[in-house]
């Protein structure tokens, strides 16, 4: 047991999908995993382990925001020996290069959070995705002709940011979407030498005001989950580059 996860060692798989919403973790387990077993309900942050195409995979909620993500990612990496975390979430589109329902692979995550300033002082650390996960996910998406974009995310601490200038400025620098967790996940992946990737479907668009209906969100979520699951299956099959 760790401080925030009530699982015994061995109950959590080497590969974990992390939605922000714990009820999404349940939905992933019930929809995609064979023989799912719930291993956590501490603070309602549900976690399940099952198999997908013969590969053992867990689905664990992260909660919203970097502090919450950092607690769960650290305990998964450090105390349960997790090797791969793929965040599966939503982001707000901030660029003309993406539209709602697109899937965004987060190559790197800029942030307004103070978390890395307290780790690195004067140095601005650049939280980045694992390259193998990134290229496998891009291959799978291309084969499936999924509407895909790959680029920078903005991991914001504020969902309701009163500053209206930030988003257009970030878009000018090629940032594709705003969400709230990727930078912490990438930083912890780097700290523990494990693989991390954030995949987001664009749920709403901050420049155009476009939104997805509940049904559209569900469909694009299913596509994104299959992309994440298939990425893990291929990672298991291919010889490791590290
Ligand atoms: N901001 C932050 N996180 C998000 C958003 C947003 O606009 N949309 C989906 N996740």
């Amino acid at each position: 047991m760790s401080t925030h996860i009530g699982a015994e060692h061995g109950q959590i798989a080497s590969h974990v999908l992390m939605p922000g919403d714990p009820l999404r973790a349940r939905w992933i387990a019930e929809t995609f995993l064979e023989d799912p077993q719930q291993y956590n309900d501490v603070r309602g942050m549900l976690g399940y382990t099952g198999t997908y195409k013969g590969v053992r995979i867990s689905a664990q909620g992260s909660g919203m925001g970097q502090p919450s993500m950092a607690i769960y990612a650290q305990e998964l990496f450090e105390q349960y020996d997790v090797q791969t975390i793929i965040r599966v979430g939503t982001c707000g589109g901030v660029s003309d290069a993406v539209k709602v329902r697109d899937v965004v692979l987060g190559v790197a995550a800029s942030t307004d959070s103070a978390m890395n300033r307290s780790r690195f002082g004067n140095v601005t650390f650049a939280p980045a995705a694992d390259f193998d996960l990134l290229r496998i996910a891009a291959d799978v998406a291309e084969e499936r002709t999924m509407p895909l974009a790959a680029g920078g995310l903005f991991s914001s601490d504020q969902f309701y940011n009163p500053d209206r200038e930030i988003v257009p400025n970030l878009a000018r620098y090629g940032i594709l979407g705003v969400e709230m967790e990727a930078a912490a996940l990438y930083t912890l992946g780097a700290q523990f030498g494990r693989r991390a990737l954030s995949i987001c479907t664009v749920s709403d668009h901050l420049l155009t005001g476009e939104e997805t209906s509940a049904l559209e969100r569900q469909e694009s979520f299913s596509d994104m989950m299959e992309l994440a699951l298939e990425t893990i299956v291929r990672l298991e099959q291919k010889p490791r580059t590290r």
Side-chain angles (χ1 to χ4, degrees), residues 29-205:
E30 289 175 351
T31 310
F32 299 102
L33 301 184
E34 274 171 49
D35 193 23
Q37 306 287 329
Q38 185 182 317
Y39 62 73
N40 191 51
D41 65 358
V42 177
R43 291 179 182 246
M45 203 55 80
L46 302 172
Y48 300 81
T49 299
T51 58
Y52 179 82
K53 297 188 178 175
V55 179
R56 228 170 143 244
I57 295 177
S58 296
Q60 169 68 56
S62 71
M64 288 181 282
Q66 296 192 64
S68 184
M69 164 58 89
I71 286 170
Y72 293 102
Q74 171 133 359
E75 292 181 19
L76 290 172
F77 286 143
E78 192 172 42
Q79 300 190 46
Y80 294 97
D81 208 22
V82 165
Q83 300 298 311
T84 314
I85 296 179
I86 301 183
R87 164 169 152 69
V88 279
T90 58
C91 65
V94 303
S95 155
D96 293 338
V98 295
K99 44 187 196 325
V100 294
R101 296 196 59 171
D102 283 358
V103 173
V104 176
L105 300 182
V107 175
S110 302
T111 184
D112 56 6
S113 164
M115 287 176 75
N116 278 354
R117 247 173 284 147
S118 69
R119 283 175 180 245
F120 298 105
N122 218 13
V123 171
T124 304
F125 180 74
D130 176 75
F131 181 64
D132 276 343
L133 285 180
L134 203 52
R135 70 171 158 189
I136 295 169
D139 285 349
V140 174
E142 193 173 87
E143 284 165 27
R144 297 179 172 213
T145 60
M146 288 175 67
L148 175 85
L153 295 172
F154 172 45
S155 299
S156 178
D157 273 354
Q158 304 198 79
F159 188 92
Y160 299 108
N161 194 332
D163 186 338
R164 301 267 151 211
E165 289 307 307
I166 292 175
V167 159
N169 193 34
L170 287 165
R172 280 194 283 278
Y173 285 76
I175 298 290
L176 301 176
V178 52
E179 49 83 76
M180 302 186 75
E181 292 83 18
L185 174 62
Y186 290 175
T187 300
L188 286 159
Q191 181 185 353
F192 290 96
R194 310 289 165 78
R195 299 183 191 276
L197 175 66
S198 285
I199 308 178
C200 298
T201 51
V202 179
S203 57
D204 50 290
H205 204 294

